[in-house]
Amino acid sequence: MKYFILFFLLSDVSSISAQNILVEYNCYRNFFTAEHRAQIAAVQPDFLKKFDNEYDRFELTANTTQSKYSFARLMYKDTSIEIAKSSRVYAHVYLDLVRKYIYHVNDSIATKVGRDTLLGSQDWQITDENKKIAGYLCKKATRKDARGHEMVAWFTNEIPIKQGPNTLYGLPGLILAASSKDYTIVAHKVQKLSKPVQIKMPIADEYMTLKALRDAGAMTIKSALNMKKK
């Protein structure tokens, strides 16, 4: 009986550990087509050199029902290249799978909170393709994004958390990589946490839609740039 209780406790601790994770993701931007790159290179070759040398590090903290995805720091492929550090303005993305809400908090207008209702499973189509990412065996899934472009995600059943980077969710395991027309995101490091993760969802007297929050953030940045020009 004692051995059974010990086995149960150890199994329970292992289960809790597996349900609470911290993931570091690298995000590479794919904003420019080959034609755009040629045009930029002809006018501002230093800009492309800087752009190609930079990528972003994000962090996802998650349990089985909640997650928070935030920008962590700017990274450089070649630290020997001396370039001025650029600033980043990103929204913190929160998911609550129980209440079925997605929240955004934008650093440029931190007093405002965006909130929309989660939409089912995002219509993922799971394929038979698989590969290893960050030491985990992953399966491939695809869907169309809001603009009709194909999005690809790689998720692992080894971590039964249905969230992922940015606003991605709804697959039967943690999403460790994703790519679309504009970006590629790949897990750099996955850490299972020994203590349960409690994530506080943003609270506001009045919530904006995510579109309204993005529009307000864009206006704030535009106003700041106009002020600098004066």
Side-chain angles (χ1 to χ4, degrees):
M1 185 66 178
K2 289 181 180 180
Y3 292 112
F4 175 79
I5 293 173
L6 179 60
F7 174 79
F8 175 80
L9 290 174
L10 289 174
S11 299
D12 191 52
V13 169
S14 176
S15 174
I16 290 173
S17 175
Q19 309 301 314
N20 299 270
I21 52 96
L22 172 63
V23 186
E24 294 181 359
Y25 291 93
N26 291 336
C27 179
Y28 306 92
R29 295 159 287 152
N30 312 320
F31 296 155
F32 304 124
T33 64
E35 182 181 356
H36 289 152
R37 290 181 66 86
Q39 293 172 352
I40 295 169
V43 181
Q44 288 184 296
D46 288 343
F47 173 81
L48 278 181
K49 180 181 179 182
K50 176 179 181 295
F51 179 87
D52 291 339
N53 190 51
E54 293 180 352
Y55 62 98
D56 300 311
R57 176 70 53 81
F58 286 84
E59 290 183 352
L60 174 75
T61 306
N63 55 39
T64 53
T65 61
Q66 302 169 313
S67 64
K68 178 184 178 181
Y69 181 74
S70 298
F71 173 72
R73 56 192 175 277
L74 188 62
M75 306 292 292
Y76 300 96
K77 298 174 186 175
D78 184 353
T79 56
S80 67
I81 297 177
E82 294 185 7
I83 54 177
K85 290 187 177 181
S86 60
S87 60
R88 288 282 190 269
V89 178
Y90 286 109
H92 304 280
V93 181
Y94 298 79
L95 291 182
D96 187 332
L97 300 184
V98 174
R99 294 178 177 84
K100 300 188 183 305
Y101 283 128
I102 179 172
Y103 302 82
H104 279 207
V105 178
N106 195 314
D107 283 338
S108 63
I109 47 172
T111 57
K112 305 292 184 181
V113 177
R115 187 181 76 176
D116 278 346
T117 302
L118 290 177
L119 302 174
S121 63
Q122 293 195 326
D123 297 324
W124 290 106
Q125 302 297 314
I126 299 174
T127 75
D128 293 329
E129 289 186 59
N130 59 72
K131 67 177 179 180
K132 278 205 167 185
I133 299 173
Y136 292 90
L137 184 63
C138 296
K139 296 189 72 172
K140 181 181 178 181
T142 64
R143 72 174 179 85
K144 298 292 185 181
D145 66 17
R147 292 175 294 173
H149 299 132
E150 184 179 61
M151 174 169 287
V152 175
W154 294 88
F155 70 96
T156 178
N157 289 320
E158 296 176 35
I159 303 178
I161 285 177
K162 297 181 180 181
Q163 293 96 288
N166 204 5
T167 59
L168 302 180
Y169 66 93
L171 285 164
L174 180 66
I175 299 172
L176 291 182
S179 59
S180 73
K181 180 178 177 291
D182 294 330
Y183 64 80
T184 298
I185 301 174
V186 182
H188 165 71
K189 180 181 179 182
V190 180
Q191 180 181 355
K192 293 181 180 179
L193 304 177
S194 59
K195 294 183 179 180
V197 170
Q198 297 295 329
I199 301 169
K200 292 184 178 179
M201 297 294 114
I203 297 174
D205 292 331
E206 184 177 355
Y207 295 98
M208 307 172 71
T209 65
L210 300 189
K211 183 181 183 305
L213 182 70
R214 292 190 188 103
D215 291 344
M219 287 298 296
T220 300
I221 294 170
K222 186 176 180 181
S223 298
L225 292 173
N226 288 336
M227 288 291 291
K228 288 182 179 179
K229 290 179 181 179
K230 293 180 180 180

